[in-house]
Structure formats: structure tokens, C-alpha cells
Amino acid sequence: MLLIRFFGGKGGVGKTTLAAAFAVARAGAGRRTLLVSTDPAHSLGDALGGELGEEPRAVAPLLWAAEISGEAQARRRIAEITTDAEQALPREVLPAVRRHLARATESPGTVESALLDRLTELVEQVGDRWDDLVVDSAPTGHMLRLLSLPALLAPWIEGLARQRTKARDADRMVAGLLGRAEEQPDPLLERLHARRARLEAVRSRLAAEALVHLVLVPEHLPLTETLRAAETVAETGLRLGQVIVNRVVPETETGVLARRRAQQDEVLARLAVRFDEPDLVRVPLLPGTLTGRQGLGELAEVLREAGFDP
């Protein structure tokens, strides 16, 4: 069975270490596992104890990891679009097109769209190159925008393709009147059609195979964000997996930590109203920071004991 799992939540709730621990466990079970971070403030390399880059690199037996930069992907995508434009557009308009594309490189929409393209490439490799894909997502709002992009971009790209087709039809009519009716390939139109098809395919695959695990700590602000995110995940057409409540203070604690339990119990009670008990995983507050293969392996065992069953 192939797995695609997203771990998301408010910054600082521990989603990176939980995603890494899950990936370590999957690789330990004999699964070819790819773990990627789409968070601009990457900390996945720190959790794994090594430096990571854009391309997956082996960090343990059957485990590969990468930190994807939306800006780097946007620059690569703009370069491809520029090449297509140079082949498809009149020479006199190219300087203006190049200036526009250069400005677009740094825009949030371009960055997120390019990041989605890279994520699509990785999803397409699940079942061939990888058995499992585990994504350490950007903070909740960024993650939800990324996951909603396939549904938003497909109709927009279809509109661009229709406009390009109309322009090509007009060019062909003029060429026919002038006796130059030779059909020329249109790489820009071909790329639009190909991208729309890929977006529709990845949207269908994520809806069928992916689960989104929201991570929070038992405090009021992360609770509010998690409840909103759970509704939005359903609106994107994706399925919500188990919700992980991290750093739960055990009842045996005394002193300062014991005084936090009143707020914690209130948060847990509200979560229990929204989510069925099997869908709510409580991970206890652990001493120290669990990083590296050994520490993440210990955290994976804690997750399993807490009832995390993806």
C-alpha cells in the first residue's frame, strides 16, 4: 500500500520532528520513504542531523530527504516559460515579456505554483521510485493554500489555453490569406495543456491516497487554528487523518507544569467534541529534543504507543 502523508500545523508545534519520526519508522519497516520539507524556514536537516538540499539525498537505509525552496523552483519555472515565449512570441514583444517574467519570479503566487509543480513531480514518483511520501508542510495557512492550488489553477490554465488557441486560429487565418498556411508547433499551448492534465491528475491522486495530519500543542491559539484548518482540508477535497496533540503534560507532573493542565484539559475536551477518540492522538511532553536517527526512532515508538496508525 502506497502512502502520501502531510504533517501540518502552527509553527513551533513539533510537526517537523513528528513527520521525521514517522518517516524513519516507515523506512525501518522496509519502505522506500521520501521525506520532504516545504516550509520556508527549513528545520528538517536539523532534525535529521545533516545538511539537505533541493534534490533527495539518502540519510539512512531506505530513507531519502530534501528541503524544497519555492523561490528556487520559481526561478527554474520562469526560465522554462521564458524559453517557450521566445519560441512562440514575436521578437518585438520579448523584452517586455522578459521584464514581466522577471518581476513575477518573486511573487507569492508564482512561488507557490512552482512549489506545487515540484511536489507534483514527487507525487508522480510514488509507486515507482518511492513507496511512501511524507511532507513536512509549511505552517497551516501556507499548507492549505498549496493543497488548494490544483483546484484553483486548472480552470485558470484552461482559460489561458482557450485564449492561446483563439490567437493561433487568427494567426492561421491570416497566414492562409497570405498563402503561408504551414502549421507550426506551439510549445506554449502544449505546455499549458500538459500542465492542466498534470494538475487534474495530482488533484485526483491526492484526494484518493493522501491524508493530512494536523499537529498542535494543547493551547488555545493552536486549537483555534486547527479547528479552522480541519474544515478547510475537507473543502480542498482531501482527507483528514489523525490529529496529533503534541507535548501533553502527564497527570503525574507537579509544580509549574501541573498548573498548565487546567488549560490543557479544556483544550483536549474541545478537541474530543470535534474529533472521534481514535482520530485524536496524544503525545506526551518528552524530556529534551529528539533528533537524529536514534532520537527520532524513540519518538516514532512513542507515536505508535499513543495510537498513531496512519
Side-chain angles (χ1 to χ4, degrees):
M1 179 180 177
L2 305 176
L3 293 183
I4 302 174
R5 299 293 180 264
F6 292 85
F7 285 73
K10 192 176 179 65
V13 298
K15 56 186 172 53
T16 296
T17 52
L18 289 169
F22 174 63
V24 165
R26 298 300 294 177
R31 308 280 294 182
R32 297 171 301 163
T33 303
L34 174 62
L35 171 63
V36 299
S37 169
T38 63
D39 192 337
H42 294 299
S43 58
L44 185 56
D46 297 331
L48 293 169
E51 186 175 345
L52 300 176
E54 293 285 328
E55 294 300 320
R57 60 175 288 260
V59 295
L62 297 179
L63 179 62
W64 292 259
E67 293 177 338
I68 303 174
S69 165
E71 288 76 9
Q73 298 302 318
R75 288 191 292 270
R76 186 184 72 170
R77 181 64 62 210
I78 290 297
E80 294 173 352
I81 295 173
T82 300
T83 299
D84 288 344
E86 289 172 347
Q87 298 176 20
L89 298 176
R91 179 178 299 178
E92 58 269 19
V93 304
L94 286 178
V97 170
R98 292 192 187 99
R99 288 194 298 271
H100 173 75
L101 291 174
R103 288 194 296 269
T105 303
E106 303 301 327
S107 69
T110 301
V111 170
E112 290 177 345
S113 177
L115 188 60
L116 175 64
D117 286 343
R118 179 57 176 150
L119 184 61
T120 297
E121 293 174 357
L122 298 177
V123 169
E124 290 170 341
Q125 295 171 0
V126 176
D128 179 17
R129 189 176 178 185
W130 327 107
D131 299 315
D132 299 338
L133 172 63
V134 182
V135 182
D136 167 33
S137 299
T140 311
H142 296 283
M143 178 193 72
L144 294 174
R145 281 198 297 274
L146 179 65
L147 294 178
S148 65
L149 275 180
L152 295 174
L153 286 178
W156 180 71
I157 291 173
E158 175 62 25
L160 288 178
R162 284 197 301 268
Q163 293 178 23
R164 182 63 185 167
T165 299
K166 290 179 181 178
R168 290 278 294 172
D169 290 343
D171 290 343
R172 279 196 295 268
M173 183 180 68
V174 172
L177 293 174
L178 297 176
R180 300 194 302 268
E182 183 180 351
E183 182 72 18
Q184 296 293 330
D186 188 340
L188 190 58
L189 185 59
E190 292 171 1
R191 189 177 291 277
L192 285 172
H193 284 311
R195 187 156 189 241
R196 181 195 60 192
R198 290 184 74 198
L199 285 172
E200 292 174 346
V202 76
R203 180 186 180 189
S204 297
R205 184 163 189 185
L206 290 178
E209 300 179 24
L211 288 180
V212 179
H213 297 289
L214 298 176
V215 180
L216 73 156
V217 293
E219 298 173 4
H220 288 295
L221 287 179
L223 167 67
T224 302
E225 184 170 307
T226 299
L227 295 176
R228 286 198 303 262
E231 300 300 326
T232 306
V233 167
E235 293 170 2
T236 65
L238 298 180
R239 294 176 296 154
L240 186 66
Q242 289 176 295
V243 175
I244 304 173
V245 190
N246 197 20
R247 303 173 193 156
V248 175
V249 178
E251 293 184 2
T252 54
E253 290 289 345
T254 59
V256 175
L257 289 179
R259 291 198 293 271
R260 293 185 56 187
R261 285 209 302 268
Q263 172 182 264
Q264 171 181 289
D265 292 345
E266 181 180 343
V267 170
L268 291 174
R270 289 185 61 187
L271 286 168
V273 170
R274 171 60 179 81
F275 304 104
D276 294 334
E277 191 59 31
D279 297 329
L280 204 57
V281 177
R282 299 171 178 84
V283 176
L285 179 67
L286 301 171
T289 303
L290 297 179
T291 58
R293 286 176 57 190
Q294 180 175 348
L296 292 173
E298 295 174 7
L299 180 55
E301 181 61 21
V302 171
L303 263 176
R304 188 191 65 78
E305 293 175 353
F308 186 63
D309 180 13

